[in-house]
Amino acid sequence: MDRLTSKDVIGTTIIVGVCVLTMYAIYTNYIKSDESSQKGLTPTKYQKYKLIKKVNVSHNTRKFRFALQSASTELGLPCGKNISFRFFDANQEEVRRPYTPITSNREKGYFDVMIKVYADGKMTQHLDTLVPNKDFIEARGPMGNIRYAKPGLFQIKQKKEMNQYKVSKIGMICGGTGITPMLQIIREIEANHNDETQVSMIFGNVSIDDILLREELEQVRQKHDNIHIRFIIDKAPTDGREWNEDVGYVTQEQLKQRIFPPADDVIVLLCGPPIMTKICKGNLMKLGYDENRVVAF
């Protein structure tokens, strides 16, 4: 048997080292990049997502956290879009509902939704029965006609046409869980230091206790001069708690006072109870807004 020389050992070491470096380069440039770019959603196929956490936010509001496929997976939801949840009821009838997560693609491995549970809501009642680390929800996406594509640019499908709106000001009028798509856009503006788009929002709720994400929204308006948020509740509190914001319903005068006036660089977004959005849209039309620039989620 031939004896190995020092040159043989050195040569073998070099070859092994080159192989290791080559494999690492392949992993870094191809395999790892594929892992990091993995999206959790598919637009045409419902997939199962395990519930991993449920938090009671109030007497009728829950925050649900669902796991994505891996710890490095991002949801893959463009800003302005939503996802569709579904389940089959006891009669095997399909129930679908759209929801906007309160997390973004910047969070990896999971997504959160905040939902009010209604006594007559099939989907919300079903979600409220799910057990963390045991049950799943089926979802697909992205869905929806609105996309905040980049700073100040909306791409909106209207009457089967894709329209683009370049704006410097966004008016937002929302109620209840209608805050979620608005918060999605606000967070996108917050995250991009080059986005100087101005926001003025009216957020309506029944009472102080019904205001979702109040603490976070108050922090947002204190931190950012370009984001203005005004709360309005149906009735002022009678238990001694201080309330210095608006009371009643969103009127035409309040729209005139709180929302940017009609202009070519203004768009107004609506999301909330149908009666609220209908009345607000009618009042906005009376104030002279372009109908195509008043958009409901």
Side-chain angles (χ1 to χ4, degrees), residues 258-271:
R258 305 288 181 193
I259 302 299
F260 303 111
D264 290 339
D265 66 338
V266 172
I267 195 166
V268 181
L269 306 176
L270 302 168
C271 192

Side-chain angles (χ1 to χ4, degrees), residues 40-93:
L41 290 170
T42 56
T44 58
K45 178 184 177 182
Y46 279 95
Q47 301 180 90
K48 287 186 175 182
Y49 301 88
K50 179 180 280 190
L51 178 67
I52 55 176
K53 188 176 182 180
K54 180 166 71 172
V55 177
N56 291 331
V57 178
S58 70
H59 67 285
N60 65 350
T61 304
R62 315 281 184 263
K63 183 168 78 172
F64 299 88
R65 174 164 294 182
F66 295 94
L68 295 174
Q69 289 85 342
S70 74
S72 62
T73 303
E74 71 171 48
L75 183 59
L77 186 70
C79 184
K81 298 290 186 177
N82 60 66
I83 59 180
S84 173
F85 279 4
R86 82 166 181 182
F87 78 99
F88 293 89
D89 65 15
N91 298 319
Q92 290 303 301
E93 292 183 0

Side-chain angles (χ1 to χ4, degrees), residues 38-42 49 68-69 72-78 83 101 103-112 141-142 184:
Q38 183 185 6
K39 302 293 189 293
L41 290 170
T42 56
Y49 301 88
L68 295 174
Q69 289 85 342
S72 62
T73 303
E74 71 171 48
L75 183 59
L77 186 70
I83 59 180
T103 46
S104 70
N105 293 333
R106 288 178 290 276
E107 287 81 24
K108 310 297 182 184
Y110 67 90
F111 68 94
D112 293 345
Q184 183 189 46

Side-chain angles (χ1 to χ4, degrees), residues 239-288:
D239 57 3
R241 283 183 288 178
E242 186 177 6
W243 182 252
N244 297 316
E245 311 255 346
D246 294 339
V247 175
Y249 298 103
V250 181
T251 64
Q252 185 173 318
E253 186 58 34
Q254 285 170 323
L255 294 174
K256 191 174 180 180
Q257 180 183 3
R258 305 288 181 193
I259 302 299
F260 303 111
D264 290 339
D265 66 338
V266 172
I267 195 166
V268 181
L269 306 176
L270 302 168
C271 192
I275 187 64
M276 175 188 179
T277 58
K278 181 179 179 180
I279 292 173
C280 287
K281 185 171 184 177
N283 283 329
L284 289 166
M285 295 299 98
K286 293 175 185 176
L287 291 171

